[in-house]
Amino acid sequence: MPEHDALIARIETYCRSHEIAESTFGRHAVNDGKFVGRLRDNRRVTTATIARVEEFLARKADGLDETAIYDPRLRHRQPTAAAATAGAVPAKQDGAAHFRFYDNRQKYLLFVNTCSEKWAVADRVGQELSRLRVEPPALRVFDAGMGDGTVLTRVMRHMHQLYPTVPFYVVGKEISLEDVRLTLEKLPDRFYEHPAMVVVITNMFYSEAPSLMPAAPENAAKLNWREIALDGNSAHAFEEQISELEPEIAEGWQVRNSPRTGNPLYVRPSVMVLYRGDHKILLDGIIPRPGNAIGEYNLIIASQPFRLRASLDLKIKRVLAPLARALAPGGRMLTIHSHGNDPGMEIINRVWTGENPFQHNRHTLLQALKTELGTAGRSLNFTAASDKRALFRYVMHTLPTEIGSSIGTSTLMAAWNAAVYVAQIEDERLEKAMIGGRYLDATRDILKKRNGLWFLDESFVVSRKRGR
């Protein structure tokens, strides 16, 4: 007999009384039309999903609004706008004084969808893959700020091309809930193509994430560790199971703002470990456990790991030094950040004369990193390389007909957004600059002069000697 007979009976009663199909119930309750069928077949259903169904039935029994809106990232269904405004208390805008352009989600999405930076970064990372020293039990990769997962998943495709039979251990650090969700959406195809793979996602600090262990005892005591062995052998099956994790992710990736800097900090340190259940025996030696995780990596990807205007001390002590210490023998850390001296900065300097957010180049960063590491840096190579090797270009996507005698407003706005995003101009200054039309004139002039818009990124490598 099915394990959940009582719940199935309640669902059947609900469907009869509301004259809806069981698939409709599943979509309304947990955004899964196959839920009731899987429950009846006694197939794998998480306790969190069962809890959401129980709550859905309880709320309906209490006569709450039938037109509630389902958000899979939240445990609770949200009331409609009409219901929410009745007696609603305006939410407190915590951290409003610390709002920064770099954290604006809409501007970020416009930038990444109109510019090729992530493609170019992934290609640059790919150049390091053939230089790696790969030894048992796995090829170990750490992404120090995976964003929406575009770079990481492109790199994973390249890894599979070069090492199709080597187990992968991939750890991604990301504090943004939305970016974690976007990354998870890209993983089912990776698990299908490369079954021998463990993917770990965490929200910890740079000093903690490589070893998956919080430094402070009080944080270690509340560590939220979740291990998921995915059933099945198809991308669709993996996608269904990963989608069910969203309420847990929303809970584990809560953030608060630092009262001193406004930076987002985790409320609770979280680790999510995913792998294919049918490969658990093969992967047993690399699946991390609390307090026992591989803390050294063959490749560390540090793409835009800090804000351009951050202090040199913060960039080195909080980011680059902890990452360099996590390199395995023969391992390589590739750091990429914006360089400037490109058409994007020409637009910026037309509006803000003398503006220069690019405070520390690769030579300055590497020298400071050497000093910080001291004797621990003797086993490392610090490679700045020439401009020809270190600098690379990415572009804003435009059609051949978009840059001409007349440039459309949407193209101008996309170019302006990209330029101020890369330069990390604060909203307060943006509002003042956009009162008149001078910013559009400047953007139009540079697009015509350069026949488009492109930017330069700068890269450098820190590698550990093979014999330590």
Side-chain angles (χ1 to χ4, degrees), residues 203-223:
N203 61 358
M204 295 187 202
F205 304 130
Y206 287 102
S207 59
E208 304 170 335
S211 62
L212 303 178
M213 180 52 62
E218 61 271 21
N219 287 333
K222 59 182 181 181
L223 176 61

Side-chain angles (χ1 to χ4, degrees), residues 96-138:
H98 295 294
F99 176 82
R100 293 159 302 189
F101 178 88
Y102 198 71
D103 295 322
N104 188 292
R105 191 73 191 167
Q106 288 70 36
K107 293 181 175 68
Y108 164 78
L109 291 174
L110 179 58
F111 170 77
V112 299
N113 285 290
T114 56
C115 294
S116 65
E117 185 187 29
K118 290 185 180 295
W119 300 1
V121 168
D123 289 344
R124 177 63 186 87
V125 176
Q127 296 173 25
E128 301 299 322
L129 289 175
S130 60
R131 299 182 173 92
L132 299 180
R133 178 185 181 181
V134 182
E135 294 182 342

Side-chain angles (χ1 to χ4, degrees), residues 43-70:
R43 292 174 58 190
R44 180 181 177 275
V45 178
T46 65
T47 55
T49 302
I50 295 296
R52 286 161 57 195
V53 173
E54 294 276 8
E55 182 179 7
F56 175 85
L57 291 169
R59 289 169 67 86
K60 295 305 179 185
D62 290 339
L64 295 183
D65 185 8
E66 288 287 338
T67 59
I69 302 169
Y70 172 71

Side-chain angles (χ1 to χ4, degrees), residues 232-404:
N233 58 7
S234 70
H236 179 71
F238 304 147
E239 180 184 40
E240 283 193 323
Q241 295 164 70
I242 289 174
S243 295
E244 289 186 352
L245 300 174
E246 294 212 29
E248 297 179 45
I249 298 166
E251 192 170 279
W253 261 258
Q254 295 179 43
V255 298
R256 58 184 176 85
N257 288 332
S258 167
R260 183 172 62 86
T261 66
N263 290 332
L265 306 174
Y266 60 69
V267 172
R268 185 181 181 189
S270 294
V271 174
M272 180 166 289
V273 182
L274 300 103
Y275 57 88
R276 285 182 53 158
D278 56 0
H279 281 64
K280 184 172 183 177
I281 293 177
L282 172 66
L283 299 170
D284 188 68
I286 62 173
I287 296 173
R289 273 85 185 185
N292 184 21
I294 299 173
E296 296 184 336
Y297 297 86
N298 306 114
L299 176 65
I300 295 177
I301 306 167
S303 176
Q304 308 287 6
F306 37 64
R307 290 177 172 81
L308 294 175
R309 301 173 193 272
S311 68
L312 182 62
D313 188 65
L314 183 147
K315 291 176 180 178
I316 299 302
K317 292 184 178 181
R318 299 285 185 89
V319 182
L320 295 181
L323 295 178
R325 295 186 182 104
L327 285 170
R332 303 175 70 84
M333 177 176 76
L334 175 67
T335 302
I336 295 171
H337 63 158
S338 299
H339 176 267
N341 194 27
D342 51 38
M345 275 309 295
E346 291 183 43
I347 295 174
I348 296 300
N349 288 144
R350 288 281 189 95
V351 179
W352 295 282
T353 304
E355 180 75 18
N356 180 26
F358 311 100
Q359 301 297 316
H360 309 115
N361 63 24
R362 64 189 186 278
H363 304 286
T364 302
L365 290 168
L366 284 174
Q367 185 56 51
L369 181 57
K370 282 184 185 180
T371 302
E372 173 65 21
L373 292 174
T375 57
R378 292 176 182 173
S379 63
L380 298 173
N381 295 315
F382 302 85
T383 307
S386 65
D387 282 355
K388 184 177 180 180
R389 167 67 176 162
L391 303 184
F392 61 93
R393 174 190 296 197
Y394 64 92
V395 302
M396 187 185 83
H397 303 295
T398 56
L399 297 174
T401 57
E402 285 186 285
I403 309 298

